[in-house]
Amino acid sequence: MSTATIQDSSRARRSRGGSAPRPPVGAAPLERSRRRMFWAFTAPAVLVYFVLFLVPVGYAAWTSLYKWDGIGPKKWKGLKNYQTLWQDPTFRHSLTNTLKILIVGGVLTFAFAFALMLILREMNRKLFARSVLFFPCLVNAMVFGIAAGILFSPTGPVDKILEALGWSHPPQWLATQHLSTMILGTLIWTATGYYSAILMAAVDQIPEYLYEAAELDGANAFQRFRHVTLPMCWDVISVCAVLWTVSSVKIFELILMYGGSSGSQPPAGSWNTAMYVYTEAFPTASTPQLGLATAAALVSLFMVIIFTVVLRRLLRRDPIEY
């Protein structure tokens, strides 16, 4: 009996000594099974990504080192295409317009989206309001171009209303110097409803008791938005910022519809990098410059990558548990 007691006490001391518990039987096979399932489900997506993205990007990088019209033989130029882009004032202006859309348009779009988040959460019939705000992003850019030509023409209803209100000389809305502003305004209008819908979907997942606790502590609507809504939606906001970065660089049809006409390109002052790539690859009265076009496209790609990495770094936050 004393021997059993000594053995039991020694087992208890070893247990109190912090010896690591043995892993449960079957953990290793389960982990191996999970790894096999991971690659089984991931491999098709990785293959599609490699074939449809990495291979074309690699071929575009190779083409950017040549002078090529798409038909004849390629002529090696090395990095001279990139040097040509840097020295081309049209490309520099296109790059400036792209950054203007990305930064100025992004700041204004999310400012309006945040204001709508603050309003929609406190109002009745917010689902109907979301539908109305989301509708413009469903409309094709061609419709906006046609509507702008009708509404903002010198004999259109906008100028007629302004003249009736006493404005004898309304601005020429569709003139070259105003095209960039019109395009940016339309883009902000269509994008605000889209991002507001995404952000409001995240707001709906926030527990109501957090707002009730903040209200009991005396927080007003703006303080509840700042201290409850923004922190709880931060991950979704960072994703929306990345989506905006990618989509704002690819804007093309809106510029073409606002500034172009049959058989002609939009004025160069309204171009962004996507429009520059298009005009170099498919010119109306000159030889295509596919090497220069792919070089400009790669510059846009690298710009998106840099902005995306920086945004992910700046918007990184520790996850909030509730």
Side-chain angles (χ1 to χ4, degrees):
M1 181 176 179
S2 61
T3 304
T5 302
I6 293 172
Q7 291 174 351
D8 292 341
S9 61
S10 64
R11 292 195 191 98
R13 284 195 300 270
R14 286 197 300 268
S15 178
R16 288 194 299 268
S19 58
R22 294 181 179 179
V25 178
L30 179 60
E31 184 66 23
R32 288 196 297 268
S33 176
R34 287 177 176 175
R35 290 179 181 176
R36 286 196 298 267
M37 294 300 295
F38 171 80
W39 287 112
F41 281 97
T42 308
V46 173
L47 181 62
V48 171
Y49 181 80
F50 177 79
V51 172
L52 298 182
F53 182 78
L54 294 181
V55 172
V57 169
Y59 184 73
W62 179 253
T63 304
S64 69
L65 304 177
Y66 289 87
K67 180 180 180 181
W68 187 38
D69 60 359
I71 301 175
K74 297 180 180 179
K75 181 180 178 181
W76 175 260
K77 293 191 68 174
L79 298 177
K80 290 184 179 179
N81 280 330
Y82 296 94
Q83 183 179 359
T84 302
L85 288 178
W86 180 253
Q87 296 172 349
D88 187 358
T90 303
F91 177 76
R92 292 202 302 269
H93 189 74
S94 302
L95 189 62
T96 302
N97 285 341
T98 303
L99 293 174
K100 179 181 176 181
I101 292 173
L102 195 157
I103 298 173
V104 178
V107 170
L108 293 177
T109 297
F110 283 97
F112 288 130
F114 289 156
L116 290 172
M117 286 172 61
L118 182 62
I119 296 171
L120 288 176
R121 193 195 166 275
E122 306 290 337
M123 70 179 295
N124 296 325
R125 298 184 179 180
K126 53 186 177 183
L127 292 178
F128 175 76
R130 286 190 213 177
S131 302
V132 173
L133 291 171
F134 188 77
F135 178 76
C137 73
L138 301 177
V139 180
N140 191 280
M142 184 178 297
V143 177
F144 290 121
I146 296 173
I150 297 174
L151 295 175
F152 295 99
S153 66
T155 58
V158 174
D159 282 5
K160 293 297 183 182
I161 293 173
L162 292 177
E163 290 174 358
L165 294 175
W167 198 338
S168 58
H169 298 288
Q172 297 178 351
W173 304 102
L174 299 179
T176 302
Q177 64 269 24
H178 294 148
L179 274 181
S180 296
T181 304
M182 293 289 293
I183 292 169
L184 185 61
T186 305
L187 182 62
I188 293 172
W189 174 48
T190 56
T192 297
Y194 176 76
Y195 291 107
S196 297
I198 296 177
L199 294 173
M200 283 305 300
V203 171
D204 291 341
Q205 305 302 317
I206 300 175
E208 191 65 28
Y209 66 81
L210 294 177
Y211 290 103
E212 294 174 354
E215 191 171 358
L216 290 175
D217 289 337
N220 56 31
F222 178 75
Q223 291 171 332
R224 293 195 297 272
F225 172 77
R226 177 185 175 186
H227 297 289
V228 179
T229 305
L230 279 184
M232 302 300 292
C233 296
W234 197 258
D235 289 340
V236 178
I237 292 173
S238 63
V239 172
C240 288
V242 172
L243 291 175
W244 168 261
T245 302
V246 175
S247 62
S248 62
V249 176
K250 299 188 299 181
I251 295 168
F252 168 75
E253 66 276 5
L254 198 61
I255 299 175
L256 187 64
M257 290 304 303
Y258 265 81
S261 61
S262 59
S264 65
Q265 305 289 356
S270 63
W271 290 4
N272 64 345
T273 52
M275 196 70 213
Y276 183 91
V277 171
Y278 174 76
T279 53
E280 291 296 331
F282 306 101
T284 56
S286 61
T287 304
Q289 299 289 338
L290 296 185
L292 194 64
T294 53
L298 287 175
V299 171
S300 299
L301 175 62
F302 290 136
M303 183 176 64
V304 169
I305 292 174
I306 292 172
F307 270 90
T308 301
V309 171
V310 171
L311 280 174
R312 295 297 291 175
R313 294 277 185 179
L314 293 177
L315 298 178
R316 181 182 298 174
R317 295 291 188 275
D318 293 332
I320 299 176
E321 297 181 359
Y322 54 89

